[in-house]
Amino acid sequence: MILVTGGAGFIGANFVHQWFQAGDEGAIVLDKLTYAGNLGSLEAVTGKPNFHFVHDDICHRSVVQSVLARHRPRAIVHFAAESHVDRSIHGPAQFLQTNFIGTFELLEAVREYWGALPGAERDAFRFLHVSTDEVYGSLQESDPAFGETTAYAPNSPYAASKAGSDHLVRAWHHTYGLPTLVTNCSNNYGPYQFPEKLIPLMILNALDGQPLPVYGDGHNVRDWLFVTDHCAAIFRVLAQGRIGQTYNIGGGCERRNVDVVRSICSVLAALRPRPGGYESQIRFVRDRPGHDRRYAIDAGKVEAELGWRPQETFDTGLARTVRWYLDHADWVARVRDGRYRQWIDLNYESGQGS
């Protein structure tokens, strides 16, 4: 059995689905169920006898200790985090609490648990911390992609809180010997993503006839990674990664934001035709503070050491994503509650998520 923190969120839920599809080993999901955590994303696995859900906060060390003692997981996959850059600009305190303090509390509970395991279980145990390419800062157009040794230079409260959590994980390995692994991924997209992030927001706004807000000149570049490819990489790192190492995971799909939005419009025009199409809804809006210009990931290490490569191109992954949102209107309706609407109203002038 493994413990998955944040398993009701976007990437975590996809990981849990793939975990149960891959074999018979069980999983415990520990999730606070904030605005982006949705048990509805786990409906397909909640009836399984080897699935367990705990509704609580990683900041509560005693709860984590109790879960570890009761279920005795062989590994932790740590997704739980506040992850939206715009939200971190408006309210950084929660990002520090969850991403930094929460990771500290989790590490301390896990260190105590791991230290008491018998020899073979102790040797086999792993703590995998899922992080982001945003810790590395911003690239210029001609700069090489981020590597595992790129210096940290976070530019948003979100990125700073994740950088801090990465440093904690590294320190707990080097100081205490905790068998840790760290992954830093590029921008994920796919099913179950909360509709404040760029791709699902553009899909749903387009369908609703609403403006498609694009920050600044729209030329900010992101490397896009389909979520199931990311989860497959995490599987490899958990099973075969070298203890204490960091692995960068990217899709090899750099795109300007405005080109992503245009691609969404093109896919929608094919799947849900509308007179005049959707591109006329694009609106360029005031840029957000500290908006990083470009992210790019060099995934050569995980490819060379573990044999992982993304299976989806941006075009195939985007088509799958748009179809999923078209086919899951009930899921969308359930997550677009009052808090989501208030958030969109608050930020509509300044645009969309990263």
Side-chain angles (χ1 to χ4, degrees):
M1 179 147 321
I2 65 168
L3 170 62
V4 182
T5 71
F10 162 46
I11 305 174
N14 278 280
F15 178 86
V16 171
H17 283 290
Q18 286 176 240
W19 184 259
F20 281 100
Q21 290 165 6
D24 297 327
E25 188 174 7
I28 315 110
V29 168
L30 173 63
D31 199 296
K32 188 180 177 181
L33 294 181
T34 59
Y35 70 96
N38 182 359
L39 262 182
S41 300
L42 294 172
E43 282 180 349
V45 301
T46 51
K48 293 182 178 293
N50 55 351
F51 172 83
H52 305 274
F53 180 76
V54 179
H55 180 201
D56 216 298
D57 190 340
I58 58 170
C59 293
H60 298 155
R61 191 189 305 184
S62 62
V63 171
V64 177
Q65 289 170 325
S66 175
V67 170
L68 295 173
R70 185 183 322 123
H71 294 286
R72 297 184 63 82
R74 68 171 182 87
I76 315 293
V77 183
H78 177 34
F79 291 100
E82 295 282 348
S83 65
H84 189 52
V85 174
D86 286 351
R87 285 181 182 266
S88 80
I89 293 169
H90 287 277
Q94 188 58 54
F95 284 72
L96 292 172
Q97 180 66 26
T98 298
N99 298 354
F100 189 76
I101 299 301
T103 299
F104 163 72
E105 296 291 352
L106 180 64
L107 284 167
E108 281 292 86
V110 170
R111 179 166 71 94
E112 176 187 50
Y113 166 75
W114 167 73
L117 289 173
E121 291 182 39
R122 192 171 188 269
D123 292 342
F125 184 82
R126 297 291 184 270
F127 181 100
L128 193 155
H129 172 64
V130 180
S131 191
T132 172
D133 58 359
E134 298 197 33
V135 300
Y136 298 123
S138 184
L139 295 170
Q140 297 301 313
E141 183 177 350
S142 60
D143 289 341
F146 299 132
E148 286 82 1
T149 59
T150 299
Y152 276 32
N155 291 321
S156 70
Y158 161 62
S161 67
K162 287 297 288 184
S165 68
D166 291 7
H167 292 321
L168 288 177
V169 174
R170 175 186 172 88
W172 261 240
H173 169 66
H174 283 274
T175 301
Y176 304 113
L178 190 68
T180 63
L181 300 153
V182 176
T183 59
N184 293 86
C185 69
S186 58
N187 274 38
N188 277 224
Y189 67 105
Y192 300 111
Q193 189 169 28
F194 190 77
E196 67 184 356
K197 295 297 184 83
L198 176 62
I199 287 178
L201 178 62
M202 294 301 110
I203 294 169
L204 299 177
N205 274 17
L207 292 171
D208 291 344
Q210 298 296 316
L212 307 180
V214 177
Y215 280 140
D217 61 5
H219 289 190
N220 300 76
V221 173
R222 299 294 181 262
D223 177 10
W224 292 94
L225 174 64
F226 192 66
V227 66
T228 59
D229 281 331
H230 182 198
C231 294
I234 293 171
F235 274 59
R236 293 283 183 95
V237 174
L238 183 63
Q240 304 170 30
R242 289 183 290 135
I243 291 173
Q245 292 293 302
T246 293
Y247 294 89
N248 281 355
I249 303 170
C253 296
E254 290 186 54
R255 295 289 189 279
R256 301 186 306 176
N257 284 348
V258 68
D259 294 330
V260 171
V261 177
R262 287 171 178 151
S263 294
I264 292 168
C265 292
S266 177
V267 175
L268 280 171
L271 296 176
R272 188 70 62 84
R274 172 184 293 173
Y278 296 89
E279 284 199 26
S280 62
Q281 295 167 230
I282 294 174
R283 300 288 185 272
F284 292 93
V285 299
R286 186 180 61 199
D287 212 350
R288 74 175 175 211
H291 196 183
D292 289 338
R293 193 62 173 174
R294 172 176 168 247
Y295 303 147
I297 281 281
D298 178 354
K301 180 177 176 178
V302 71
E303 292 178 7
E305 289 191 15
L306 307 181
W308 172 88
R309 286 177 177 79
Q311 300 302 300
E312 298 289 343
T313 67
F314 184 72
D315 290 339
T316 62
L318 186 64
R320 286 182 62 181
T321 302
V322 173
R323 287 192 196 97
W324 189 89
Y325 281 92
L326 290 175
D327 292 342
H328 291 81
D330 289 347
W331 182 91
V332 171
R334 289 198 299 266
V335 300
R336 293 172 101 180
D337 62 9
R339 286 173 296 170
Y340 169 68
R341 283 298 184 187
Q342 291 164 14
W343 174 251
I344 294 300
D345 291 343
L346 175 64
N347 286 275
Y348 208 75
E349 179 183 351
S350 58
Q352 84 289 329
S354 162

